[in-house]
Amino acid sequence: MSALVPVLDRLDADLDKSLERLFALLRIRSISTDPDFKADCRKAAEWLVADLKTIGFDASVRDTSGHPMVVAHHDGPAGAPHILFYGHYDVQPVDPLDLWHDDPFDPKVKELEPGRKVITGRGSSDDKGQLMLFVEACRAWKAVHGTLPCRVTLLFEGEEESGSPSLKPFLEASAAELRADFALVCDTDMWDRQTPSICTSLRGLVGEEVVVKAADRDLHSGMYGGPAANPVRVLARILADIHDETGRVTIPGFYDGVEETPRQVLQSWQALGETAENFLGPIGLSEPAGETGRSVLELVWARPTAEFNGISGGYTGKGFKTVIAAEAFAKVSFRLVHKQDPVKIREAFRAFVRERLPADCSVEFHPHGGSPAIQLSYESPFLTKAQQALTDEWSKAAVLVGSGGSIPVVGDFQTILGMESLLVGFAQSDDRIHSPNEKYDLASFHKGQRSWARILDALTR
Amino acid sequence: MSALVPVLDRLDADLDKSLERLFALLRIRSISTDPDFKADCRKAAEWLVADLKTIGFDASVRDTSGHPMVVAHHDGPAGAPHILFYGHYDVQPVDPLDLWHDDPFDPKVKELEPGRKVITGRGSSDDKGQLMLFVEACRAWKAVHGTLPCRVTLLFEGEEESGSPSLKPFLEASAAELRADFALVCDTDMWDRQTPSICTSLRGLVGEEVVVKAADRDLHSGMYGGPAANPVRVLARILADIHDETGRVTIPGFYDGVEETPRQVLQSWQALGETAENFLGPIGLSEPAGETGRSVLELVWARPTAEFNGISGGYTGKGFKTVIAAEAFAKVSFRLVHKQDPVKIREAFRAFVRERLPADCSVEFHPHGGSPAIQLSYESPFLTKAQQALTDEWSKAAVLVGSGGSIPVVGDFQTILGMESLLVGFAQSDDRIHSPNEKYDLASFHKGQRSWARILDALTR
């Protein structure tokens, strides 16, 4: 702890100044999706480069065909790991402006409720506030020790809120420069205001559009109803076969590579107290519809799914048309976990459909996407160290959570740079990101800086 | 036969003149769907009234909110039945005109192939040619015997090709005038050029749009995929449950009122030699998809169906959207036979869906249509007599066929006038009705007249 304690003290002492720096960045209108703010985006990138240089980073603005990237490097002691830290400096648009209580680009510290201070403004939580935590941790470490405890590369993107069109090409072109031992990604939430979390898994995705065809034209259901194959009926039957009565997917081999989540992880999820009512109530539902015998959190974080995202066939306008369609289609997607292989899942699904295709029907498939799940090993020493560091800072055990969706940059780090990511963030679920009145808890800002200092310390020891 | 033979002789002798009369009617451009031909429609009605008056009918043009009806009455001997004969004088549009080999409104007799003469022109088969057969039979009978063998009411509609908007109100307003012992409807085909047929059944129809709803909004399938109910999946499962492995409908009570077709009728259908290949080949299919163990003709003419005419839910545009839809719907229709009750079928379907509705889902139903099947009793003496009369004329046993669809006027006669219909027609499947180069076989025109004379004679003895 000898190296860490003075860094934490320094962060405490420097809090007001770190707030001023964040405010300066928040005042820059770096709305990436709106071409009117192109210059503002570059200004934010340049502001970051200038700030990082004051810490001693070798920082530069890197042009792309869209908004620029910020890349910065700082050496560390020999033998220490090399960390890539990722965040984004662009923000969402602010309209409707009249719903904001304060100017979205004139940040303030306000008291949200007694004892709870927040930083207001667009980007305060997503993602300028979060990325500055790490910058402040580095600044304090450098100020106290004259160096950083490990080699650090920073990558700040300017197009995260507009689809990241330049990210993949940039990673591919800069792979040698950016590849590190592992990545830290700061774009996630705490479990709640008291409980820090690390996201250790993201589900993968395989999409397939399946088109079932029968007659060579739409048929009159009076003339042909009975003997003629009906693609809507065939498709419905195939889709219905995909799940059994317990909600399990019946496609042979589908669960190959799916692991049972360790008991202690399930117990920690159980301890979070997330009930089906809590999870489903806000969307008008109440009972879990997936595999029976598993909690909602396990279903979303650690179990694969087959979902039907769209279906269409025959007459779908107003009123009725007694037609037997020539074809019908469904858009089917599979969320993958652990080591499920997207290629094998796609093949198994196609075989499953073909086996069930009756006489007179043919099928076409149109692939969409195909990315494996991300699963950090529960035995990873980085994970254990980061979890302990967070637990120390917040005096409450950090929980390992999953995400049901995907965060593309994490998949790109995996596939392009061959690097695992640790997802740590200090946002709260009520931060109203992408909405009017975005905020970031002052406690997140302060203890988040201290958390990163502790993680840096822990990871490198 | 004493009354009949001279009538048949008279028809033979008068064939050329009857052709001239048909040509005069065919030259009138009575396209009901096109307002430009409104006056032509009235002209056709007036032509018919004038012609019927020459036979001695009490005939008149009856105005409706659309094109007029023609109604004509002729008394018959006391104790003889009262027959309502229905046809329509309006025709389909003729475009694309450049595909016609001859002017559609300048009818001719041409030799289609050696030994096969046809009458060309729009309406020659559908339905002016067919309705004039009966008029000519009456004319000959009247000329020979000075009266008709039974009381005859004629109803010629002018809107059959444009949805019959005025038919129901007219039948309701004129029920007392039009109600007869049974109806003759002349808008159907022969089985083939040698084989006369009577259509004895039309399937009924119940339509239901079923909407399954779950969450109160569309959901991200990453965030909620697993625990959240998916209406597309729920709907597919319910639809898949509606048929068992043998193609039977599983809805409880669905087959109540369905009768097995008499063995001799099935044998007569068998003798028609209609194979699955013949029936399905032209639409690109080959294997019957309905209830196993039944011929294609039985499936279409005498078995009920559940068909899915349309389905939609979730994202159906190009590409992919990983959404879990808030709702999905299907348009389901049931073709009914025999004594199936549309009201009970609708209720049974709704109960079937509700029983299968999982937690968190709700359902809405939107009814469409609801008409029972038409089934002439195979024991009807009218049917037996008409069948024998046709057999006598064509020297080949007349077959009793069914129709998989519905002919609305027949249902209206049933429900509004409480009258059964005998469907007899002499069109051929290659008559190209509704298409360029419509024609009517001269043999149909000649022997059709003789057939009606025989039927009139048979029905009234």
Side-chain angles (χ1 to χ4, degrees), chain A residues 217 230 282 287 289 317 319 331 360, chain B residues 217 227 282 287 307 317 319 331 360:
Chain A
R217 71 204 74 172
N230 182 333
E287 292 199 24
K331 294 174 193 269
D360 282 342
Chain B
R217 71 203 75 172
E287 293 199 24
E307 287 292 353
K331 293 175 194 269
D360 282 342

Side-chain angles (χ1 to χ4, degrees), chain B residues 430-450:
Chain B
D430 64 357
D431 277 357
R432 308 183 60 86
I433 65 170
H434 296 206
S435 297
N437 302 310
E438 180 176 349
K439 61 86 181 162
Y440 197 50
D441 279 45
L442 189 60
S444 290
F445 187 67
H446 183 196
K447 290 170 76 66
Q449 296 177 21
R450 291 171 52 99

Side-chain angles (χ1 to χ4, degrees), chain B residues 64-190:
Chain B
T64 70
S65 56
H67 302 299
M69 302 279 178
V70 171
V71 177
H73 298 286
H74 197 293
D75 272 343
H82 177 197
I83 293 168
L84 175 72
F85 182 91
Y86 166 89
H88 63 91
Y89 66 78
D90 63 321
V91 299
Q92 282 274 321
V94 294
D95 45 85
L97 199 58
D98 57 350
L99 294 185
W100 288 79
H101 304 314
D102 299 285
D103 183 336
F105 295 111
D106 183 13
K108 294 182 174 54
V109 171
K110 294 179 74 170
E111 191 160 44
L112 190 67
E113 53 199 55
R116 188 178 180 194
K117 289 188 174 169
V118 299
I119 302 160
T120 65
R122 174 57 89 223
S124 56
S125 175
D126 181 21
D127 186 44
K128 289 172 175 173
Q130 302 236 61
L131 77 81
M132 285 303 289
L133 301 182
F134 191 82
V135 173
E136 295 301 341
C138 291
R139 190 190 324 271
W141 204 287
K142 186 74 182 284
V144 171
H145 298 294
T147 184
L148 296 184
C150 61
R151 184 176 159 202
V152 171
T153 296
L154 304 175
L155 172 64
F156 298 145
E157 186 189 1
E159 298 178 320
E160 201 271 347
E161 303 293 5
S162 51
S164 297
S166 307
L167 183 64
K168 266 193 188 183
F170 187 77
L171 293 181
E172 280 159 1
S174 317
E177 181 186 355
L178 297 174
R179 188 174 289 121
D181 293 318
F182 61 96
L184 299 171
V185 174
C186 72
D187 204 7
T188 50
D189 291 359
M190 291 176 64

Side-chain angles (χ1 to χ4, degrees), chain A residues 99-390:
Chain A
L99 293 185
W100 287 79
H101 304 315
D102 298 284
D103 183 337
F105 294 111
D106 184 14
K108 294 182 176 53
V109 170
K110 293 179 73 170
E111 191 159 45
L112 190 67
E113 52 197 58
R116 188 178 181 194
K117 287 187 175 170
V118 300
I119 301 160
T120 66
R122 174 57 88 225
S124 56
S125 175
D126 181 20
D127 187 40
K128 289 172 175 172
Q130 302 236 60
L131 76 82
M132 285 302 290
L133 302 181
F134 191 82
V135 173
E136 296 302 339
C138 290
R139 191 190 322 272
W141 202 288
K142 187 74 183 284
V144 170
H145 298 295
T147 184
L148 297 184
C150 61
R151 184 176 159 202
V152 171
T153 296
L154 304 175
L155 172 65
F156 297 146
E157 187 189 1
E159 298 178 319
E160 200 274 346
E161 302 294 3
S162 52
S164 298
S166 307
L167 184 64
K168 267 193 187 183
F170 188 78
L171 292 181
E172 281 161 358
S174 316
E177 180 185 356
L178 297 174
R179 188 173 290 119
D181 293 317
F182 62 96
L184 298 172
V185 174
C186 72
D187 204 8
T188 52
D189 291 359
M190 290 176 65
W191 174 255
D192 60 28
R193 284 169 56 206
Q194 287 74 44
T195 316
S197 74
I198 301 176
C199 179
T200 58
S201 63
L202 302 164
R203 290 197 288 190
L205 185 73
V206 165
E208 278 281 293
E209 180 169 334
V210 49
V211 187
V212 172
K213 301 185 174 195
D216 58 16
R217 71 204 74 172
D218 286 357
L219 304 174
H220 186 287
S221 76
M223 302 294 288
Y224 289 101
N230 182 333
V232 176
R233 176 176 155 197
V234 171
L235 184 61
R237 166 62 58 102
I238 291 171
L239 295 184
D241 270 0
I242 289 176
H243 295 90
D244 70 14
E245 293 299 316
T246 70
R248 270 179 77 88
V249 174
T250 60
I251 297 169
F254 182 76
Y255 289 95
D256 290 356
V258 178
E259 296 159 2
E260 285 299 324
T261 302
R263 177 189 297 266
Q264 71 274 19
V265 175
L266 287 178
Q267 282 171 344
S268 71
W269 292 350
Q270 190 70 28
L272 294 174
E274 180 75 308
T275 62
E277 291 69 30
N278 288 347
F279 186 85
L280 296 172
I283 54 170
L285 301 176
S286 62
E287 292 199 24
E291 291 173 276
T292 53
R294 302 186 188 265
S295 71
V296 287
L297 291 185
E298 185 183 5
L299 287 173
V300 173
W301 291 347
R303 299 300 300 176
T305 65
E307 287 293 354
F308 311 144
N309 306 113
I311 190 167
S312 182
Y315 181 70
T316 59
K318 294 204 174 191
F320 239 82
K321 197 170 162 189
T322 50
V323 72
I324 298 177
E327 63 180 66
F329 69 84
K331 294 174 193 269
V332 178
S333 67
F334 302 94
R335 295 278 171 181
L336 309 187
V337 300
H338 310 134
K339 300 191 175 69
Q340 279 180 299
D341 179 340
V343 174
K344 285 187 179 165
I345 296 284
R346 192 186 301 284
E347 284 169 1
F349 171 67
R350 290 180 175 190
F352 182 92
V353 172
R354 288 199 181 99
E355 269 170 27
R356 280 158 183 78
L357 211 62
D360 282 342
C361 290
S362 63
V363 64
E364 276 178 17
F365 296 99
H366 303 286
H368 174 82
S371 56
I374 300 289
Q375 178 72 54
L376 199 62
S377 166
Y378 288 113
E379 274 80 50
S380 158
F382 297 131
L383 176 61
T384 311
K385 287 175 182 175
Q387 191 176 12
Q388 186 58 51
L390 288 168

Side-chain angles (χ1 to χ4, degrees), chain B residues 230-395:
Chain B
N230 182 332
V232 176
R233 176 175 155 197
V234 170
L235 184 61
R237 166 62 57 103
I238 291 171
L239 295 183
D241 270 0
I242 289 175
H243 296 88
D244 69 13
E245 293 300 316
T246 70
R248 270 180 78 88
V249 173
T250 61
I251 297 169
F254 182 76
Y255 289 94
D256 290 355
V258 178
E259 294 159 3
E260 286 299 325
T261 301
R263 178 189 296 265
Q264 70 275 18
V265 175
L266 287 179
Q267 282 171 343
S268 71
W269 293 350
Q270 190 69 28
L272 295 173
E274 180 74 307
T275 62
E277 290 69 30
N278 289 346
F279 187 85
L280 296 173
I283 54 170
L285 300 176
S286 63
E287 293 199 24
E291 292 174 276
T292 54
R294 301 185 187 267
S295 72
V296 287
L297 291 185
E298 185 183 5
L299 287 173
V300 172
W301 292 347
R303 299 300 300 176
T305 65
E307 287 292 353
F308 311 144
N309 306 114
I311 191 167
S312 183
Y315 181 70
T316 59
K318 293 203 175 189
F320 239 83
K321 197 169 159 187
T322 50
V323 71
I324 297 177
E327 63 180 68
F329 69 84
K331 293 175 194 269
V332 178
S333 68
F334 302 94
R335 295 278 171 181
L336 309 186
V337 300
H338 309 134
K339 300 191 175 69
Q340 279 179 299
D341 180 341
V343 174
K344 286 187 179 164
I345 296 285
R346 192 186 301 285
E347 284 168 0
F349 171 67
R350 291 181 174 188
F352 182 91
V353 172
R354 288 199 181 99
E355 270 170 26
R356 281 159 181 76
L357 211 61
D360 282 342
C361 290
S362 63
V363 64
E364 275 179 19
F365 296 99
H366 302 287
H368 174 83
S371 57
I374 301 289
Q375 177 72 53
L376 198 62
S377 166
Y378 289 113
E379 274 79 50
S380 158
F382 296 131
L383 176 59
T384 312
K385 288 173 180 173
Q387 191 177 11
Q388 187 58 51
L390 288 169
T391 301
D392 290 344
E393 173 60 28
W394 294 84
S395 304

